[in-house]
Amino acid sequence: MENKSKNPLGSKKISTLLKEFAIPSIIAMLVGSLYNVVDQLFIGQNIGELGNAATNVVYPLVPACIASALLFGIGGASNFNLAMGRGEKDGAKYYIGNAASMAFLIGSIIAIFSEIACNDMLVFFGASSNVYPLAESYLRITAVGFPFLIFSSCATHIIRADGSPKYSMKMNLTGAITNIILDYIFIFIFGWGMFGAGFATIIGQIISAVMGAVYLTRYKTIKLDIASFIPRLSVVISIASLGAANCFNQLAMMVLAIVLNKSLNYYGGLSPYGTDIPLAVSGVSLKCMQIMMAFVIGLSQGLQPIASFNYGAKQYARVKEALFGALKTGAVISFLGFIIFQVFPHQVIEMFGQGSEEYFEFGVRYIRIYYLFLFTYFIQPIVSNFFSAIGKPIKGIFLSLTRQVIFFLPLLLLLPKFFGINGILYAGAMTDLIAASVCSIVGIKEITKPQYSKTSDN
């Protein structure tokens, strides 16, 4: 077995490791979220409410792509770090190679399906007649980039598992900066509208993917050969089992986005706001939420290699210390996000362009009620990812589904029947509180087991 002193994950101070791994992960997630947020900003300023609504209609495909990337990225990285912690270096390379090849393959399949079924998908996602043409233009071009998006997103995790979180950050940063510059050129100078926003996005994604592929040719801790990239059923199953919690969490977000769009469309039509205003507001608030999600999810991803390696090395006190450190930081981030959303909702919406008085009226109410318990948000993603990191995928999957599926969907279907469109807002608020409570109970039950009670070396 590899001696823990040979790997900093097993010997370095936990607080230092969290900074080294979480900060680049957070920056990488922030940069990754900029693809959608920047598109929304430029589209909102150039096209307005309908443009914001169009990006929201297409949005369900984003978590679908991220789900695939996390399935193989987190699954591959977790298996790799657990194997390295156990000293199984020879077999570890297959987790990295298989994760990378499967990510690009699945991305290609999703891209082809999106092009073929574009029309039916947009109608199913809730596009109104006013929004449909803009949404189609945006989806047709962005689908081309799905293989590169999924591969590059997967690569950030398996590169981070190799002890190079800064490179994964640079990879995403380069692609995002490219996207921002080209967004301005294509939308405001060339006047390409939704097509220009999508074209800028895929160019940035291709650049990130190329950087990720280059890194894999010089992986540090192990040498990757051609055989390691050829999919093996047993390896893929093992990867999928530990990546499933994060994957299902994103797939749940996709289902949630579809049902939410349809609900906003239906109940918005019964309200004074109509169908397009609720869709636009939801799209804007969701993009803002992505910023905070980037902090919390990046933090949970930074926790992953630390928890995985030390759990594999049976250094349970270090695992507990790492989890608590991540939760403390997540609590601060979520509370700051809560303050911003409650105090400055009008300013948040205004960043994404102007609109009618009704647009801002509904937007302020939506943000304040829907995100009323935002300060609890950090608990669910960190705790669910923690269980996957320590090789307990069943609990991880269950906890990852609490917010989007187990609690939110039933509330989303039930409450609007009694409270109309306001019921959608109440459903969001109640879900955050309930999911955080359940994840806290399951997490406490795990961390109070006897093996975690020993004093850490650091």
Side-chain angles (χ1 to χ4, degrees), residues 194-337:
M194 300 295 289
F195 174 85
F199 192 34
T201 296
I202 66 170
I203 292 176
Q205 290 166 349
I206 290 172
I207 291 174
S208 294
V210 169
M211 291 179 67
V214 168
Y215 184 92
L216 294 182
T217 64
R218 52 183 179 83
Y219 211 72
K220 294 189 304 183
T221 50
I222 56 173
K223 184 178 180 180
L224 299 172
D225 52 28
I226 294 177
S228 63
F229 289 94
I230 299 175
R232 297 185 175 190
L233 182 59
S234 61
V235 174
V236 173
I237 291 174
S238 183
I239 290 172
S241 68
L242 294 190
N246 292 273
C247 173
F248 287 161
N249 190 35
Q250 290 294 322
L251 289 177
M253 289 179 65
M254 179 187 71
V255 174
L256 167 70
I258 295 171
V259 176
L260 180 59
N261 284 347
K262 286 181 170 290
S263 298
L264 289 168
N265 202 326
Y266 177 77
Y267 289 104
L270 301 177
S271 75
Y273 304 108
T275 60
D276 295 331
I277 285 178
L279 279 174
V281 166
S282 177
V284 167
S285 67
L286 184 60
K287 298 306 185 298
C288 293
M289 184 60 183
Q290 279 188 303
I291 301 297
M292 202 191 85
M293 288 170 62
F295 277 99
V296 176
I297 295 176
L299 182 62
S300 71
Q301 291 173 358
L303 169 68
Q304 177 268 315
I306 306 169
S308 292
F309 183 91
N310 284 285
Y311 196 88
K314 298 183 179 181
Q315 298 190 95
Y316 302 113
R318 288 174 61 81
V319 176
K320 179 179 179 180
E321 184 182 352
L323 174 61
F324 281 4
L327 288 171
K328 289 176 184 177
T329 305
V332 174
I333 293 169
S334 294
F335 183 74
L336 290 175

Side-chain angles (χ1 to χ4, degrees), residues 134-198:
L134 295 172
E136 181 185 21
S137 176
Y138 189 65
L139 175 55
R140 289 287 186 189
I141 184 64
T142 53
V144 176
F146 287 167
F148 305 100
L149 167 62
I150 294 174
F151 174 81
S152 61
S153 297
C154 170
T156 60
H157 302 291
I158 57 181
I159 290 172
R160 189 181 305 117
D162 192 40
S164 299
K166 291 183 180 178
Y167 186 90
S168 65
M169 176 187 69
K170 292 176 183 177
M171 189 176 78
N172 280 342
L173 188 60
T174 302
I177 291 175
T178 301
N179 178 41
I180 292 171
I181 295 172
L182 294 181
D183 256 335
Y184 179 81
I185 294 173
F186 292 164
I187 295 175
F188 289 101
I189 297 179
F190 291 177
W192 289 353
M194 300 295 289
F195 174 85

